[in-house]
Amino acid sequence: MEKTLKKLAKVIDRMMDHVDLYGGPSVVSDDDLEHYLDPVFYLIFCAETDGGMTKLKDKVFVESVYTEMLPQEVPYSLNFLPFAKTAIEDFYYCMYKEKHITKSQYQEIAFVLAEKQPIFFARMSKPQFWSAEKKEAMLAMIQDTDPEEHELLPIDDPRIAAISPKIVPFPTKHTAFDDTADTPVAYQVRIDLEGYRPPIWRRLIIPAGVTYEQLHMLIQIAFEWMNQHLYLFIAGSKSIGLGNSVPTDASGIDQDFQYCKSMTYIYDMGADWTHKIKIEKVLTAEDHPDPVVPVCIKAVGDVPIEDAFDDDMREPLDREIINEVLLDYCETGEYV
């Protein structure tokens, strides 16, 4: 591995010199840069083990490491999951700039990373896909981390579940004939767009019983996105991936919203806009006696304009318009 790293020293140096342009301090603190590079070092290690430098140019090899080996073997905090892909993309861009791969090879690998990203995210977040060694390392990571910093980590060990303040008792299932006062009718959530200072977030009332597809649309409206890209929800150890036209999963949110304290929503697999959804309150009929419609009760921060070249271009915040569009979507099921 040392021999391979020496050959690639200029690539790593170039990557670090330009890390602020390719996803560095804006998303990862200096203290976390070593962790940020873990996927890159593992990729290099696999290449050296499997034949050396030439393997890094093989898109089949890259896909195998990306979708099979990394998710199975490398412990990685799910808080940094979007940046794992970014680090590999940055590495291959610098490989191209240092003339270790051709432009066509770079484009081929970049396409593989974009196309297989939903698989990568899903497998990195599923304990059933991990090796025994990775499961043990992930549990150790949970134990060594402040509880506020590992809300997204799946917890499947009963010893950890018994002591973790993040675990909520599994909810009692209600049937359509139940009409008890504690039946959830809505959820109050705060949704933060991560990586921005000053912060950008929305607080919404979400009706119970909606699907993940409908939740996606409510978030699109609240952040004034245009619903033109793929998206992914990560709830505990489960991922729900949906397309922007025909949904691949129409499952409801209720079980996850009553079981999880928070979850992740990623929109636009190129921009990797990552949103943290915190479930603040589970509302019953006693809490919210009126018919529930989706509403934005607080909004902070202008949102970057989607697909704009300049990230500083912002959509002016107007909560009144957001609520008008939310109500219209509730009534018509359409978002134009």
Side-chain angles (χ1 to χ4, degrees), residues 27 35 50 120 128 143 170 184 205 223 258 289 311:
V27 293
H35 184 66
D50 199 22
F120 173 67
Q128 56 266 41
Q143 290 175 308
F170 194 81
I205 300 296
F223 283 87
Q258 293 172 58
D311 193 52

Side-chain angles (χ1 to χ4, degrees), residues 81-286:
L81 190 52
F83 312 134
K85 169 181 172 279
T86 302
I88 298 174
E89 288 175 332
D90 296 348
F91 171 71
Y92 273 101
Y93 177 79
C94 292
M95 284 274 285
Y96 161 61
K97 298 301 284 186
E98 290 291 328
K99 305 186 186 307
H100 290 297
I101 58 176
T102 66
K103 183 176 181 179
S104 62
Q105 287 173 327
Y106 165 65
Q107 290 174 332
E108 282 184 342
I109 291 172
F111 178 78
V112 167
L113 297 176
E115 182 185 38
K116 302 300 180 181
Q117 176 175 284
I119 296 175
F120 173 67
F121 282 168
R123 289 178 172 177
M124 285 292 284
S125 63
K126 285 185 177 179
Q128 56 266 41
F129 193 79
W130 302 343
S131 67
E133 292 77 10
K134 178 173 178 177
K135 286 184 179 180
E136 184 177 347
M138 291 293 280
L139 287 171
M141 187 187 301
I142 294 172
Q143 290 175 308
D144 293 340
T145 305
D146 184 84
E148 291 299 325
E149 298 177 10
H150 66 69
E151 290 178 342
L152 301 181
L153 290 173
I155 301 176
D156 61 350
D157 187 295
R159 296 167 297 175
I160 302 302
I163 62 173
S164 173
K166 295 297 177 183
I167 296 298
V168 177
F170 194 81
T172 303
K173 293 183 179 180
H174 295 283
T175 71
F177 300 100
D178 290 327
D179 189 23
T180 59
D182 60 350
T183 302
V185 298
Y187 309 96
Q188 178 180 305
V189 302
R190 170 169 162 161
I191 307 174
D192 288 71
L193 178 59
E194 296 188 332
Y196 286 90
R197 294 292 183 271
I200 301 170
W201 59 273
R202 305 288 185 262
R203 177 170 284 125
L204 306 178
I205 300 296
I206 305 291
V210 302
T211 65
Y212 272 104
E213 179 189 7
Q214 292 168 325
L215 176 61
H216 157 72
M217 294 305 303
L218 297 177
I219 297 173
Q220 289 287 297
I221 295 169
F223 283 87
E224 300 169 277
W225 303 132
M226 297 185 294
N227 190 31
Q228 294 185 349
H229 299 282
L230 296 175
Y231 56 97
L232 182 76
F233 288 94
I234 301 174
S237 61
K238 180 173 68 174
S239 60
I240 304 97
L242 304 171
N244 59 359
S245 54
V246 180
T248 58
D249 191 310
S251 61
I253 67 170
D254 290 288
Q255 179 173 309
D256 293 330
F257 267 53
Q258 293 172 58
Y259 183 71
C260 299
K261 283 286 189 179
S262 65
M263 60 182 64
T264 297
Y265 167 75
I266 302 169
Y267 174 61
D268 187 345
M269 299 312 180
D272 286 341
W273 273 321
T274 302
H275 308 67
K276 180 178 180 180
I277 305 174
K278 182 178 180 181
I279 296 91
E280 296 182 318
K281 296 180 183 178
V282 178
L283 304 174
T284 65
E286 184 177 347

Side-chain angles (χ1 to χ4, degrees), residues 283-309:
L283 304 174
T284 65
E286 184 177 347
D287 303 317
H288 200 296
D290 299 325
V292 181
V293 295
V295 62
C296 178
I297 58 178
K298 188 166 185 177
V300 173
D302 296 340
V303 175
I305 294 177
E306 189 168 339
D307 293 334
F309 179 77

